[in-house]
């Protein structure tokens, strides 16, 4: 469950100052709602994608052939 700043507050903040969990949460949320977004929402999603790419991607939270999972506590 996401516990953090809401999107209204974050839109006034440069994407470089967003935390990784904020980028990840809103990327997932906006991606799922993409067919219903207006031009402003699509632009926001594009900016979030660019910031994630600039940072080198998000940390994988899934198990793979080379790594397992562990419990993450907030």
């Amino acid at each position: 469950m996401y516990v953090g700043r809401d999107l209204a507050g974050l839109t006034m903040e440069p994407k470089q100052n967003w935390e990784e969990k904020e980028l990840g949460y809103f990327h997932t949320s906006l991606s799922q709602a993409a067919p219903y977004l207006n031009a402003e929402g699509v632009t926001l999603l594009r900016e979030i994608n660019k910031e994630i790419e600039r940072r080198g991607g998000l940390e994988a939270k899934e198990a793979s052939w080379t790594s397992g999972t562990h419990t993450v506590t907030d």
Side-chain angles (χ1 to χ4, degrees):
M1 172 182 257
Y2 172 76
V3 177
R5 298 183 287 180
D6 67 350
L7 191 56
L10 286 170
T11 55
M12 301 300 181
E13 187 86 25
K15 306 298 177 286
Q16 295 85 0
N17 295 346
W18 287 28
E19 295 178 20
E20 186 173 301
K21 70 178 184 176
E22 294 166 338
L23 287 169
Y25 176 77
F26 289 110
H27 173 266
T28 301
S29 299
L30 292 172
S31 294
Q32 291 174 347
Y36 310 104
L37 294 177
N38 62 12
E40 186 176 348
V42 171
T43 300
L44 178 60
L45 179 56
R46 188 176 301 121
E47 291 171 356
I48 290 171
N49 286 337
K50 286 181 183 177
E51 180 59 24
I52 290 170
E53 288 175 8
R54 189 187 72 77
R55 294 184 187 193
L58 297 175
E59 179 184 330
K61 303 268 192 277
E62 301 175 343
S64 67
W65 289 105
T66 59
S67 64
T69 59
H70 63 281
T71 304
V72 178
T73 57
D74 286 311

